[in-house]
Amino acid sequence: MASLFLPEQDTAQVPAMPAVGVVIAAPQLLELVQEALRGLAVRVVMEQRDFRNWPALIERLEFLHPEIVLLDITGLPLPLEAAVRAVRAALPDSMLVALDVTAQPETILAAMRAGANEFLYPPLVDSLRKAVEGRAEAGPRPRENSRPPGKVLGFLAAKGGCGATTIACHLAAELGRLSAPRAQRSLLADLDLQSGIVGFLMKVKSPYSVLDAVQNLHRLDVSYWNALVSADWPGLEIIAAPSGYLPKDPISGESLGKVVRFVRAHYAWTVVDLGCTLNFATVALLDEIDDIFLVTTLEVPALHQAKQAVQTLIKAGIGSRLRIVLNRTPQRPDITAQELERILGMPVDTMLPNDYYALNDAFCKGKLLPPGSNLSRQLSSFAMHLVGAPAVEKGKRRFGLFG
């Protein structure tokens, strides 16, 4: 694993920066808004300048769910009241700021009656900064009458060959199977852009990849996303990594984070394969992930890299969401759990057995593990634990990961 040296910083929890959606067509308003937001502790998750496809615009707002929406009312394709009500219906708990180039009393009254929280016009830099800062200080408001966001699980290998991708694929397939009867969907996303093999293991036929989503964030909506993913598994959709990808300009963690925020609102469960490289983009992306599973084995190089990764992630303030998975655990390990905790700097949460022959046989046949294998039962128990279903029992023995 490539080592990452981060500057010393206060590891106390920092409040999350509010997300801002910029929906502005007028160039003069856009320049003023960009000046007002410069230097503020906010994240611009959406910037839309074309209002012609209004239903798709509302759909993007609903899925990205910015806490602050800056809406230009000068070039709306529908009446002002209808436009403001549509945004308010999609984002009932967000702060909606209507922007105009002039201040007409009847326009201000109509916007406020339709649901706008603020009405601003040039010069608006100072007033907009105050409004945004006030919302940031107030913190995020609880979402009411809206679907709760799905959960995102990230799998990171201590080094290549530790089995993180294999675990991610099997767990995602099991989550899809469990969520399908509930009319929910799960997603398996390969964010190892340069060496991801999820597409190969899961026999993905779609020619598109997560890179297409990153490069088309400006048009990312449900219909476009559905054209990218593969849906050949029960309850599970898959988006693979690009093949033969040689980046000229590195993909930023912020861009990948926008994709993760989009899919979080669209899927009950998202399993993300992060590969085996820690860099600034990966660490930035980890802010969008609920639980990070660092997969290692008992091999000395893997334990060394795992220890380095644990230290880096703790220093980055992510230690509370980090879980250690020990893969290919022998029946009688030569090391105790206490010794492992001392080496790695935190306890091991999960131990998975070595099922090499069954796994190799399955991959040779182009399939995943059969349900009766030992590792398959363990991963099934893991998925059931995550969704809150009772674990499968055989006699008096419970096949679970935690014990």
Side-chain angles (χ1 to χ4, degrees):
M1 175 176 293
S3 60
L4 171 65
F5 297 96
L6 297 176
E8 294 294 335
Q9 54 184 308
D10 184 5
T11 57
Q13 187 172 2
V14 179
M17 294 185 294
V20 178
V22 178
V23 185
I24 298 177
Q28 63 268 42
L29 289 177
L30 182 61
E31 291 178 5
L32 292 172
V33 166
Q34 290 173 339
E35 180 182 351
L37 296 182
R38 193 173 296 120
L40 291 182
V42 297
R43 296 178 294 117
V44 178
V45 298
M46 173 181 175
E47 187 172 297
Q48 184 86 19
R49 303 183 189 182
D50 187 351
F51 294 179
R52 288 175 293 182
N53 191 345
W54 185 258
L57 187 153
I58 294 297
E59 199 170 57
R60 284 193 70 201
L61 281 172
E62 186 173 9
F63 281 111
L64 293 175
H65 210 106
E67 297 166 45
I68 303 170
V69 178
L70 308 180
L71 176 64
D72 172 10
I73 65 171
T74 62
L76 296 172
L78 67 168
L80 169 63
E81 293 87 346
V84 173
R85 288 194 185 103
V87 176
R88 176 54 66 209
L91 304 170
D93 57 303
S94 297
M95 177 182 183
L96 175 56
V97 180
L99 304 174
D100 201 346
V101 294
T102 59
Q104 300 294 332
E106 61 274 13
T107 305
I108 298 174
L109 184 61
M112 300 300 285
R113 282 179 173 174
N117 299 103
E118 299 273 355
F119 188 100
L120 302 178
Y121 52 89
L124 56 78
V125 173
D126 290 339
S127 54
L128 180 56
R129 288 181 67 92
K130 290 179 182 177
V132 172
E133 288 173 342
R135 177 56 191 263
E137 291 175 359
R141 299 177 185 177
R143 299 183 183 182
E144 297 178 358
N145 301 321
S146 63
R147 175 187 172 185
K151 194 163 186 178
V152 182
L153 311 176
F155 285 81
L156 177 68
K159 62 181 288 292
C162 285
T165 300
T166 297
I167 295 171
C169 289
H170 284 81
L171 181 63
E174 188 65 19
L175 287 172
R177 185 186 67 82
L178 291 172
S179 59
R182 308 181 187 186
Q184 297 176 334
R185 291 182 297 171
S186 297
L187 175 72
L188 173 59
D190 193 345
L191 299 190
D192 184 3
L193 298 185
Q194 291 183 262
S195 57
I197 61 168
V198 165
F200 168 73
L201 295 181
M202 304 297 284
K203 298 297 179 281
V204 172
K205 300 176 183 177
S206 172
Y208 304 106
S209 73
V210 70
L211 187 61
D212 294 287
V214 171
Q215 293 176 339
N216 292 276
L217 284 170
H218 61 285
R219 55 182 294 203
L220 186 59
D221 56 22
V222 173
S223 59
Y224 181 77
W225 178 262
N226 288 340
L228 301 181
V229 298
S230 173
D232 296 327
W233 293 77
L236 177 67
E237 294 181 356
I238 304 170
I239 186 160
S243 58
Y245 174 58
L246 295 174
K248 295 181 180 179
D249 299 314
I251 300 298
S252 68
E254 181 181 359
S255 297
L256 291 173
K258 290 179 180 178
V259 174
V260 173
R261 285 194 291 275
F262 174 83
V263 302
R264 177 191 289 277
H266 196 43
Y267 296 93
W269 295 94
T270 298
V271 177
V272 176
D273 184 4
L274 299 168
C276 59
T277 302
L278 267 182
N279 50 44
F280 284 103
T282 305
V283 173
L285 175 62
L286 294 183
D287 287 336
E288 304 295 336
I289 297 178
D290 296 294
D291 291 303
I292 302 129
F293 296 89
L294 177 64
V295 181
T296 184
T297 64
L298 285 177
E299 297 172 344
V300 173
L303 290 177
H304 170 75
Q305 295 292 75
K307 178 181 180 180
Q308 297 296 319
V310 168
Q311 293 175 348
T312 298
L313 295 175
I314 289 177
K315 186 177 292 187
I318 306 172
S320 62
R321 291 180 283 124
L322 183 60
R323 310 285 181 265
I324 304 295
V325 178
L326 184 63
N327 196 23
R328 306 192 195 110
T329 310
Q331 291 185 348
R332 292 182 176 83
D334 294 330
I335 188 171
T336 66
Q338 291 76 15
E339 290 172 327
L340 269 177
E341 181 176 351
R342 179 179 55 82
I343 292 172
L344 297 175
M346 65 184 306
V348 174
D349 285 86
T350 302
M351 291 186 180
L352 295 176
N354 188 355
D355 213 353
Y356 172 81
Y357 293 106
L359 193 60
N360 186 63
D361 183 61
F363 285 157
C364 286
K365 296 176 181 177
K367 300 179 180 180
L368 295 183
L369 282 169
S373 71
N374 190 17
L375 179 57
S376 178
R377 290 196 299 265
Q378 297 278 20
L379 290 171
S380 177
S381 291
F382 187 13
M384 290 179 178
H385 173 83
L386 289 173
V387 301
V392 177
E393 294 189 5
K394 182 178 181 181
K396 294 185 178 180
R397 181 179 178 186
R398 183 181 298 269
F399 293 96
L401 288 172
F402 311 95

